[in-house]
Amino acid sequence: MSLVNTRKTPLVKGFRQSAPYLNAHVGKTMIIMVGGEAIADPNFANIVSDIALLHSLGIHIVMVYGARPQITTLLEQQHYDSPYHKGIRITDTHSLEIAKQAAGQLQLDITARFSMGLNNTPMAGSQINVISGNFIIAQPLGIDDGIDFCHSGKIRRINSTAIANQLKQGSIVLLGPIASSVTGECFNLTSEEIATQVAIRLQADKLIGFCSEQGVIDNNNDIISELLPHDAEQVLQQLIDNDEQQSGTGRFLRGAITACHAGVPRSHLLSYKQDGAVIQELFSLDGIGTQIVMSNAEKIRRADINDIGGILDLIQPLEAEGILVRRSREQLEREITLFSVIELDNLIIGCAALYPYPDEKIAEMACVAIHPDFRDGDRGVLLLNKLCQQARDTGLDKIFVLTTRSVHWFREQGFYECDIEQLPMIKKDLYNYQRRSKILIMLIR
């Protein structure tokens, strides 16, 4: 008799959890906004390596970089004042030359880093094509409140077709804050405007940005994992009230809200100080930063045949422990229309089935399972409410469960214990006396 070591190393567990995300992200387009503060941080080399890794996995990358602190440093070295108006630098002729110098230097440095390939891996030195060009056409901001912005500009148009073609050819597109106009002049743009508008025009799948924190922090100093646009607007207003709208968080939130309203499904805010933040955010079950999403990323829906694998992954460990009755793949395929699932990022993190007995106006709630990493929420209650509504919609007035381990939880939800005589006739005949499952029932009318 041989014993199988069932212990999972962190590497194996992490790889298995990330596999669905690898498949989900291949071929997707991501706009990554990296401010000058992130570029100046010692962790920037790791950010570039992670972006190169994403590219190697078949993800289309547009990287937009800023140069605000680098421009400020060069101006201060020359004792030259370059004031701001409404958060935008007033770029006169001299400031423009300094901005061009800073942005050009950063472009060369970033391109050089990508030329190293994937650092400390067998892919070190592999060819990564980084393309920059006149994809952005600018126009002047003009005069506001009597203030002439001079060479500070905004986007006039984006050659999104040319960018998309470069992405299809396997290149990383690198865009900086300096863009030319139809008259041949140069203008200084904000990186958040470029990143946001490129994400919208390319119909990108994600907009990713960086700040000094690990996302948006609440009053308890905890990371807010998900914000809907109106919630993000409230956070932004708080930053404005505290005169922090020009922080990395504030600038990103403005862009993310605009992108979200325009159809970009998700924007992610991460810390540029944490090594591997992008990888952890994109390839783990619950991420580590803040997402701004068009709608709640987690949804409950009726299952279909494509969910069989995800449901099996959930229920098989519970079957092995004897908590759930075993179901074969064939049985699941026959009964899949009876299941409802909780889906998060294309992953099934919860499931339950409703078996109706219409003649007796009762249904069984069975095969309830929640992924171990998500059992601290109210997902079981959400599934119960979903199945109760389904039962009501079909004219049923009671739901029963058979359970060996979760009696107290069902009691908390309004179930009460009963005897076998209250089960439907068919279920009575199938009752397994060896399992000695408790029978609980709840009125739903």
Side-chain angles (χ1 to χ4, degrees):
M1 178 178 177
S2 62
L3 295 177
V4 178
N5 186 353
T6 59
R7 290 188 304 170
K8 302 184 185 74
T9 67
L11 173 62
V12 171
K13 182 179 179 181
F15 190 78
R16 286 174 176 169
Q17 287 185 349
S18 66
Y21 292 98
L22 291 171
N23 294 327
H25 292 325
V26 170
K28 296 298 193 295
T29 299
M30 300 184 187
I31 313 303
I32 302 179
M33 182 175 76
V34 185
E37 298 84 358
I39 297 173
D41 192 84
N43 189 51
F44 181 63
N46 294 321
I47 293 175
V48 172
S49 292
D50 288 345
I51 294 174
L53 176 58
L54 297 180
H55 174 262
S56 74
L57 295 173
I59 297 171
H60 299 149
I61 302 292
V62 177
M63 181 175 175
V64 180
Y65 69 92
R68 183 177 296 214
Q70 288 80 3
I71 294 170
T72 298
T73 297
L74 291 176
L75 288 169
E76 289 175 348
Q77 290 174 354
Q78 298 184 14
H79 305 288
Y80 194 86
D81 185 36
S82 179
Y84 283 80
H85 178 61
K86 294 184 176 179
I88 298 174
R89 188 190 301 275
I90 300 171
T91 311
D92 60 17
T93 301
H94 182 69
S95 298
L96 177 64
E97 294 306 310
I98 297 298
K100 288 161 66 176
Q101 177 184 339
Q105 183 65 53
L106 290 178
Q107 178 184 331
L108 292 171
D109 289 346
I110 293 170
T111 302
R113 287 187 181 276
F114 278 116
S115 298
M116 298 169 63
L118 292 174
N119 245 343
N120 299 319
T121 74
M123 292 182 68
S126 61
Q127 182 67 36
I128 297 177
N129 293 325
V130 178
I131 303 295
S132 299
N134 58 341
F135 300 110
I136 309 293
I137 300 299
Q139 62 184 5
L141 279 172
I143 299 171
D144 181 66
D145 294 335
I147 304 295
D148 189 348
F149 279 104
C150 301
H151 292 281
S152 291
K154 60 183 179 180
I155 293 173
R156 179 173 182 177
R157 65 173 180 264
I158 298 172
N159 192 341
S160 53
T161 301
I163 295 175
N165 287 338
Q166 293 297 335
L167 296 177
K168 289 177 183 176
Q169 293 173 23
S171 299
I172 291 177
V173 174
L174 179 64
L175 303 176
I178 306 299
S180 58
S181 70
V182 293
T183 61
E185 299 175 271
C186 288
F187 289 91
N188 182 22
L189 282 63
T190 64
S191 59
E192 54 265 30
E193 183 198 9
I194 295 173
T196 301
Q197 292 305 316
V198 169
I200 293 170
R201 306 293 175 81
L202 289 180
Q203 298 180 322
D205 299 282
K206 292 182 183 292
L207 172 65
I208 299 172
F210 294 90
C211 64
S212 57
E213 303 289 346
Q214 192 57 281
V216 177
I217 309 298
D218 64 16
N219 294 331
N220 296 320
N221 210 32
D222 295 323
I223 298 167
I224 301 175
S225 60
E226 183 176 287
L227 290 169
L228 296 172
H230 71 273
D231 298 321
E233 287 167 357
Q234 293 178 4
V235 174
L236 181 58
Q237 186 58 53
Q238 291 175 2
L239 293 174
I240 293 172
D241 294 341
N242 296 330
D243 199 26
E244 297 176 358
Q245 64 268 34
Q246 297 309 319
S247 64
T249 300
R251 297 199 301 272
F252 178 80
L253 284 179
R254 276 198 301 273
I257 292 167
T258 300
C260 196
H261 284 312
V264 176
R266 294 188 189 175
S267 298
H268 302 256
L269 182 61
L270 309 168
S271 172
Y272 57 73
K273 296 179 178 294
Q274 180 163 337
D275 184 15
V278 173
I279 303 303
Q280 293 181 69
E281 175 71 5
L282 296 181
F283 298 104
S284 64
L285 282 169
D286 45 4
I288 60 170
T290 297
Q291 290 189 68
I292 294 85
V293 297
M294 293 173 61
S295 59
N296 196 299
E298 192 172 304
K299 58 185 177 183
I300 301 179
R301 59 171 175 79
R302 296 294 284 267
D304 59 45
I305 198 69
N306 296 316
D307 299 318
I308 295 291
I311 293 174
L312 284 171
D313 288 342
L314 278 180
I315 68 176
Q316 284 176 342
L318 299 176
E319 291 173 348
E321 293 181 45
I323 298 173
L324 293 179
V325 176
R326 290 187 180 275
R327 284 172 172 79
S328 66
R329 175 179 285 271
E330 292 74 19
Q331 182 181 355
L332 274 177
E333 289 176 355
R334 292 194 304 270
E335 299 177 349
I336 192 62
T337 57
L338 303 177
F339 277 77
S340 292
V341 295
I342 303 177
E343 181 185 35
L344 175 63
D345 285 343
N346 297 316
L347 293 178
I348 304 303
I349 64 169
C351 71
L354 186 72
Y355 295 86
Y357 297 87
D359 291 342
E360 293 153 287
K361 292 190 175 183
I362 194 170
E364 179 185 10
M365 181 180 182
C367 201
V368 182
I370 304 294
H371 190 284
D373 291 345
F374 295 91
R375 288 176 184 165
D376 56 350
D378 294 324
R379 293 172 179 87
V381 176
L382 294 175
L383 280 170
L384 173 60
N385 292 339
K386 175 76 171 178
L387 298 191
C388 284
Q389 188 58 53
Q390 288 179 23
R392 292 189 194 98
D393 291 344
T394 53
L396 308 182
D397 52 26
K398 289 180 286 188
I399 286 182
F400 73 89
V401 295
L402 302 178
T403 182
T404 58
R405 304 281 185 93
S406 304
V407 173
H408 285 194
W409 185 86
F410 283 107
R411 282 178 176 171
E412 290 172 4
Q413 311 315 315
F415 285 79
Y416 60 90
E417 287 192 49
C418 64
D419 57 40
I420 193 171
E421 293 304 317
Q422 297 190 49
L423 292 180
M425 186 63 66
I426 296 175
K427 196 66 182 179
K428 288 180 189 177
D429 296 337
L430 296 175
Y431 182 80
N432 187 334
Y433 285 91
Q434 289 184 327
R435 281 180 60 84
R436 301 180 62 187
S437 299
K438 295 287 186 179
I439 304 169
L440 295 101
I441 197 166
M442 181 174 71
L443 299 176
I444 58 174
R445 287 293 183 182

